[in-house]
Amino acid sequence: MDEITEEAAELVERVAALDIGKASLVACVRVPHDTIGGRRRQEVRTFATTTASLLGLRDWLVCQGVTRCVMEATSVYWKPPFYLLEDDIECWVVNARDVKNVPGRPKTDKLDAIWLCKLAERGMLRPSFVPPPWQRELRDLCRYRRTLIQERTREKQRAEKLLEDTQIKLSAVISDLFGVSGRAMLDALVTGQRDPKVLAQMARGSMRAKISVLQEALTGHFRDHHGYLLAMMLERVDVLSAQIHRLDARIDEALAPFARQVAQLDEIPGIGKTGAQEIIAEIGADMDRFPTAGHLVSWAKFAPKAKQSAGRNKSSSTGKGNPWIGGALGEAAMGASRTKTFLGSRYRRVAKRRGKKRALVAVGNSILTIAYHLLSNPDAHFTDLGADFHDRLAPERRKRQLIRELERLSGKKVTLEQAA
């Protein structure tokens, strides 16, 4: 995930590169030669990835006067060296796609480190976006919360499958199996209640109009074996809900200085408080790191890659991007698609021509563009363009569309006459 920054193509005098593995890393340093003019001195050393060894690496790089240290984004192994060096040396994490060795050359850890160092020395690399410490902590919290929410959803699905195994069709009648009415019935099943009439009477609110249907849905062969498993599943759901609630409180506390930005993003259709928190956790609150909204959308992989050959633009995918912001924007786009707003209209227009998946990507693109402009201006507020924005923008085109639609439905030729 790279933030595109233009770097001058000039030689970096004192540069280092790290080829990082799980247990060890190879460091290459290239600096001006002390005696021979115009020559470069190169030194390669191997270090363990323990804290004491990494401190020795830092001391060596500082003594060499290294001003930039480049490392490949290898799994999560780059993080300890980066976090330890970032206060003393400018550190770059680069995309593995940009640092592949030349085909046909031998590949060893030492040669990879030398190759990476030479690329960095000549300014042929660009750094990936590594957020500041406060944002890294917020990311950990938001990502773990999303993971727990997904796990809770899976546990609820397991409980629903268990009920299907017992011929209890409760989910076919109740939209939320774990709502007030559904949870009361599940708890009663666990404690030994099997009478469908008694269970149906636990319905609350509008569900009481479905008591007769509930009685039929609750008639099955639920046994103690199922009750034992269901009790464990409900307990697991409760534990996960409590943990999610604790994470909510911690995230609210961490985002207290950014309450205004959260409120700005919350104004966008489809984005709630949780979605706004996740977006800030992934892209930050400072948009200066992205020159334009297009750079942000491209970084998040919500825009198709440029693919042109022989003067013709070819169809291309968006590429594989950050799954966390992709999940947050996907949920927001799905919510916005059901609204009577500009975003909802955009979804329906694109879905008609390109399909639902591409329409969700298009709406996610629009949401991220709106978020960029809101976060760039502290006084900005979301203003909906309206569901009829494109119709107002090109009324003649809309007229032709309606004529074609009427001709398709009637099977006759349609002509317009001037109204009297």
Side-chain angles (χ1 to χ4, degrees):
M1 307 285 280
D2 294 332
E3 177 187 347
I4 301 177
T5 55
E6 297 295 333
E7 294 290 335
E10 58 183 15
L11 188 71
V12 182
E13 282 196 354
R14 296 180 176 271
V15 64
L18 308 180
D19 185 79
I20 305 173
K22 182 175 183 179
S24 63
L25 62 84
V26 178
C28 175
V29 170
R30 290 179 63 84
V31 296
H33 203 287
D34 296 333
T35 57
I36 304 175
R39 296 287 300 276
R40 302 284 289 169
R41 181 169 60 86
Q42 175 179 292
E43 185 174 356
V44 181
R45 294 187 184 182
T46 301
F47 295 85
T49 53
T50 57
T51 302
S53 184
L54 291 179
L55 289 173
L57 167 67
R58 182 188 64 183
D59 294 341
W60 178 53
L61 296 181
V62 171
C63 290
Q64 295 292 327
V66 171
T67 58
R68 180 179 298 169
C69 181
V70 179
M71 59 196 78
E72 187 179 335
T74 307
S75 183
V76 296
Y77 303 141
W78 62 270
K79 292 184 177 181
F82 184 95
Y83 296 161
L84 194 144
L85 295 173
E86 65 177 335
D87 292 335
D88 302 294
I89 302 172
E90 180 188 17
C91 292
W92 281 15
V93 178
V94 296
N95 196 313
R97 175 196 60 206
D98 299 334
V99 296
K100 287 184 178 179
N101 206 333
V102 176
R105 296 184 61 184
K107 178 174 171 40
T108 64
D109 293 342
K110 178 179 178 180
L111 292 177
D112 285 347
I114 294 173
W115 175 257
L116 182 59
C117 196
K118 288 181 177 180
L119 292 178
E121 178 185 59
R122 290 161 175 78
M124 299 175 66
L125 301 175
R126 54 185 180 180
S128 296
F129 165 48
V130 179
W134 72 266
Q135 190 178 344
R136 297 200 290 259
E137 294 177 359
L138 182 61
R139 275 187 174 186
D140 291 340
L141 293 171
C142 289
R143 290 178 177 184
Y144 188 52
R145 178 178 63 181
R146 174 170 281 270
T147 301
L148 292 184
I149 291 174
Q150 293 171 346
E151 180 58 33
R152 183 177 63 179
T153 301
R154 285 191 288 267
E155 200 67 33
K156 290 180 177 180
Q157 291 171 342
R158 295 186 188 106
E160 183 178 351
K161 289 181 179 180
L162 180 68
L163 293 180
E164 289 291 332
D165 184 61
T166 66
Q167 192 56 28
I168 291 181
K169 301 290 186 177
L170 195 57
S171 60
V173 182
I174 300 179
S175 58
D176 184 6
L177 190 61
F178 285 80
V180 175
S181 300
R183 184 56 192 265
M185 297 174 192
L186 295 180
D187 290 336
L189 285 170
V190 169
T191 56
Q193 181 59 252
R194 303 289 186 266
D195 189 348
K197 294 182 180 180
V198 176
L199 293 171
Q201 289 298 326
M202 297 179 182
R204 297 290 183 270
S206 60
M207 287 301 302
R208 294 199 62 81
K210 301 180 180 180
I211 287 181
S212 60
V213 181
L214 285 171
Q215 289 180 7
E216 295 182 10
L218 289 164
T219 302
H221 48 82
F222 193 95
R223 300 190 302 272
D224 291 342
H225 164 72
H226 302 111
Y228 176 79
L229 291 175
L230 182 59
M232 295 185 67
M233 294 175 184
L234 295 180
E235 181 181 357
R236 178 64 174 157
V237 169
D238 292 339
V239 170
L240 290 170
S241 297
Q243 292 177 334
I244 293 169
H245 180 72
R246 288 164 54 192
L247 281 172
D248 287 338
R250 187 62 179 264
I251 292 171
D252 289 340
E253 180 182 347
L255 276 171
F258 304 97
R260 176 184 56 79
Q261 289 88 339
V262 172
Q264 281 181 307
L265 296 182
D266 194 12
E267 297 175 359
I268 304 175
I271 295 184
K273 179 181 177 183
T274 299
Q277 291 173 340
E278 291 183 341
I279 290 175
I280 291 179
E282 295 302 326
I283 70 175
D286 181 13
M287 293 296 100
D288 290 341
R289 61 173 62 96
F290 301 104
T292 65
H295 285 81
L296 172 59
V297 172
S298 177
W299 172 84
K301 297 296 187 290
F302 266 76
K305 294 181 290 187
K307 188 176 181 181
Q308 188 182 78
S309 178
R312 297 181 62 184
N313 293 321
K314 298 186 176 181
S315 177
S316 176
S317 66
T318 60
K320 185 178 180 181
N322 183 331
W324 304 98
I325 191 171
L329 289 175
E331 290 179 2
M334 184 66 72
S337 68
R338 295 188 287 266
T339 62
K340 295 181 179 180
T341 61
F342 166 76
L343 293 174
S345 174
R346 176 167 171 75
Y347 171 83
R348 290 183 285 274
R349 291 179 71 256
V350 177
K352 185 184 299 183
R353 297 179 292 108
R354 306 283 286 171
K356 295 181 179 179
K357 291 184 178 180
R358 291 178 184 268
L360 288 176
V361 174
V363 175
N365 182 312
S366 296
I367 290 176
L368 203 54
T369 301
I370 295 169
Y372 175 87
H373 291 291
L374 290 177
L375 295 176
S376 300
N377 186 353
D379 300 322
H381 292 278
F382 173 75
T383 302
D384 184 29
L385 297 176
D388 61 342
F389 172 75
H390 291 98
D391 297 342
R392 292 184 281 108
L393 193 65
E396 290 299 322
R397 180 177 60 188
R398 179 58 176 165
K399 186 191 300 182
R400 293 192 298 270
Q401 289 174 347
L402 292 174
I403 291 175
R404 287 196 298 268
E405 183 70 12
L406 184 57
E407 289 178 342
R408 185 183 66 83
L409 292 174
S410 64
K412 299 179 181 179
K413 185 69 175 179
V414 176
T415 58
L416 300 181
E417 296 181 358
Q418 186 69 31

